[in-house]
Amino acid sequence: MADIDIQLPTSMPIAGHIDPVVTPRGVTARPDGKVDLLGLPRTEITRLFTEAGLDAKAAKLRGKQVFHWIYHRGISDFDSMTDIAKAMRPWLDARFVVGRPEIVVSQHSEDGTRKWLLRTADGHDYEMVFIPDADRGTLCVTSQEGCTLNCRFCHTGTMRLVRNLTPGEIVGQVMLARDALGEWPKGAMNGLDDEETEGDYSADGRLLTNIVMMGMGEPLYNYENVRDALKLVMDNEGLALSKRRITLSTSGVVPMMEKCGEEIGVNLAVSLHSVVKEVRDEIVPINRKYGIEQLLQACADYPSASNARRITFEYVMLKDKNDSDDDARELVRLIKQYKLPAKVNLIPFNPWPGAIYECSTPERIRRFSEIVFDAGISAPVRTPRGRDIDAACGQLKTAAQKMSRADQDRLAEEKQAALG
Ligand code: SF4
């Protein structure tokens, strides 16, 4: 078998005391020596085929076919790739696999939300959540195993960063969800005997219609892998989901926002949560590095923002912390000052064991929402989903990872201090 060198992008160093320690990709070679094609673009698959001995023309054709089967049809078994010559299939099978993240636990909430605990080939656990609604189904995708940013309201923030997920581990979540929902197109490929109808390939009637990069981790601290995975999701020959149906949420990694808009062009969401410096410094500590004005200017400059594709500001409602009338008015003032095409998502705080905050009262949340709405800015209150299986916003944290003793002590002390 040819010796195959797999070229994967490296993670990106960003200087600064609250930035992550750059972790190596940490992709462990398979014991059987085969190369996993999941997460690789067409060009890389073609390159690997050439390296394994196919001539350039054959490698290009096989690369195109295999790419289509993997990402557009969800097929992971070479023997089912029916337009590839029968004699060719064992050759592929001897050298390559098409993997999927391993499912460790699958949970169903009483409100229909589903959560999966997944495991990478080298034994790291992470989660994804599917939230069905009447008119859409949204998959909340994880970008990192753990997080470096320690947002105070977020359970994942109490985990240490283990490593960045690879493009395969990120796009693999979308593919697993399609597997679970039975949503791969049923028609045949071009040039084959079966007729392929438009309905087989449109998003109409699908359960999984939208993706949000809002699972565990800060996607802009794993930018290249997230970008490469989303390109596979958006590729018309791949998972074929429009960029308008994908939202990337950042806590405010300002230097990466413009690049993200230019290179991926997905919708932007920002974990804002306060417009008062001292409060945001506490709740979203990256604010100490990239302040509110810098962040809002980066939003104003975000390439694909428009009235049709507004920026979403996520705002978790924390009792007596960020929920006053003055907070709401200041939020409105800043959105207007920066002329932002914006909507505000008000999120009732989801408690988790050891959390130091409480949720604002329903009356307070309603009043806050009214003030923003009255200024002409949409500010719906998000209905908590999947609370019974810890799948709601800010609660994602793998059951497999226990908090260290020191973390538990720190949280207990903070809670004590906050209570008075
Ligand atoms: S909110 Fe996002 S960026 Fe902040 S700690 Fe949680 S996972 Fe990390």
Side-chain angles (χ1 to χ4, degrees):
M1 194 185 303
D3 188 19
I4 292 167
D5 172 30
I6 187 163
Q7 289 180 353
L8 292 165
T10 52
S11 51
M12 184 186 46
I14 301 176
H17 69 287
I18 50 168
D19 289 326
V21 177
V22 176
T23 49
R25 285 295 304 277
V27 180
T28 314
R30 290 172 56 91
D32 60 8
K34 295 184 185 182
V35 174
D36 191 347
L37 300 180
L38 183 68
L40 300 184
R42 205 184 279 100
T43 47
E44 183 62 9
I45 294 174
T46 302
R47 188 189 72 78
L48 289 171
F49 288 177
T50 313
E51 209 170 271
L54 294 187
D55 66 46
K57 199 171 159 215
K60 193 170 175 205
L61 172 67
R62 298 305 178 206
K64 186 175 185 326
Q65 290 169 316
V66 169
F67 181 91
H68 188 96
W69 282 111
I70 295 175
Y71 298 112
H72 202 73
R73 305 299 296 272
I75 298 292
S76 49
D77 157 26
F78 294 112
D79 213 34
S80 303
M81 300 184 179
T82 51
D83 63 340
I84 294 177
K86 274 204 172 127
M88 182 77 210
R89 297 181 211 164
W91 183 91
L92 288 167
D93 199 41
R95 291 162 176 79
F96 305 101
V97 290
V98 181
R100 286 284 193 277
E102 178 194 344
I103 298 177
V104 184
V105 182
S106 165
Q107 288 174 280
H108 259 90
S109 161
E110 42 197 39
D111 67 14
T113 301
R114 297 172 73 171
K115 181 170 89 164
W116 291 267
L117 176 64
L118 307 176
R119 185 162 294 158
T120 63
D122 52 352
H124 300 301
D125 292 345
Y126 59 108
E127 294 173 339
M128 69 170 186
V129 177
F130 177 68
I131 306 139
D133 277 307
D135 58 343
R136 63 169 63 189
T138 306
L139 186 71
C140 182
V141 172
T142 284
S143 57
Q144 297 182 302
E145 212 263 304
C147 192
T148 48
L149 287 180
N150 301 118
C151 300
R152 282 287 190 248
F153 61 90
C154 170
H155 204 188
T156 305
T158 63
M159 290 173 70
R160 284 181 174 72
L161 176 69
V162 177
R163 75 162 165 80
N164 289 333
L165 295 188
T166 64
E169 289 156 357
I170 297 168
V171 73
Q173 296 171 61
V174 186
M175 298 173 76
L176 266 184
R178 278 214 176 152
D179 291 345
L181 300 167
E183 288 205 311
W184 291 104
K186 302 265 181 330
M189 287 176 67
N190 287 333
L192 289 181
D193 31 11
D194 295 340
E195 284 284 309
E196 160 183 301
T197 67
E198 201 161 293
D200 290 328
Y201 290 85
S202 82
D204 295 346
R206 286 248 177 103
L207 294 171
L208 198 176
T209 59
N210 291 60
I211 290 177
V212 290
M213 295 299 309
M214 286 185 194
M216 298 161 72
E218 164 54 64
L220 294 187
Y221 274 161
N222 185 18
Y223 175 71
E224 291 170 3
N225 294 351
V226 167
R227 175 197 61 200
D228 293 352
L230 290 181
K231 287 199 164 166
L232 296 169
V233 172
M234 295 186 292
D235 192 315
N236 276 339
E237 282 286 300
L239 286 138
L241 203 68
S242 159
K243 64 184 177 186
R244 293 169 187 276
R245 293 182 171 274
I246 301 172
T247 300
L248 181 145
S249 175
T250 180
S251 54
V253 184
V254 167
M256 296 306 299
M257 287 166 62
E258 188 173 355
K259 191 173 165 113
C260 170
E262 274 165 5
E263 292 187 349
I264 321 180
V266 291
N267 304 321
L268 183 70
V270 172
S271 289
L272 190 62
H273 309 307
S274 174
V275 282
V276 176
K277 177 180 164 27
E278 295 69 33
V279 179
R280 192 164 193 268
D281 278 354
E282 175 191 320
I283 307 175
V284 189
I286 196 176
N287 195 63
R288 294 178 214 153
K289 187 171 178 67
Y290 308 114
I292 292 166
E293 289 76 19
Q294 254 182 304
L295 175 59
L296 295 180
Q297 187 57 52
C299 290
D301 297 339
Y302 189 71
S304 46
S306 66
N307 276 332
R309 297 180 66 196
R310 287 173 292 170
I311 293 171
T312 305
F313 288 107
E314 308 286 349
Y315 201 103
V316 65
M317 297 301 294
L318 303 174
K319 187 175 180 192
D320 300 332
K321 183 53 83 176
N322 64 354
D323 61 352
S324 69
D325 289 2
D326 283 349
D327 287 315
R329 288 192 199 102
E330 180 63 1
L331 174 62
V332 166
R333 188 187 71 76
L334 284 170
I335 288 175
K336 298 211 159 175
Q337 180 187 326
Y338 285 87
K339 300 188 175 60
L340 296 171
K343 61 179 169 184
V344 179
N345 253 351
L346 299 177
I347 308 164
F349 176 59
N350 292 312
W352 39 270
I356 59 171
Y357 300 118
E358 288 176 48
C359 183
S360 309
T361 61
E363 300 72 46
R364 189 90 288 279
I365 297 176
R366 212 165 18 247
R367 179 70 193 126
F368 195 105
S369 173
E370 266 169 22
I371 293 173
V372 182
F373 262 120
D374 287 349
I377 300 162
S378 172
V381 181
R382 191 192 287 172
T383 314
R385 301 292 301 270
R387 271 187 164 172
D388 54 324
I389 55 168
D390 276 359
C393 187
Q395 288 185 313
L396 290 185
K397 179 176 190 289
T398 60
Q401 170 145 357
K402 301 267 183 285
M403 255 191 282
S404 70
R405 190 68 244 173
D407 283 342
Q408 289 176 35
D409 290 348
R410 175 174 60 80
L411 282 166
E413 274 170 29
E414 285 175 359
K415 187 168 188 184
Q416 200 55 44
L419 292 175

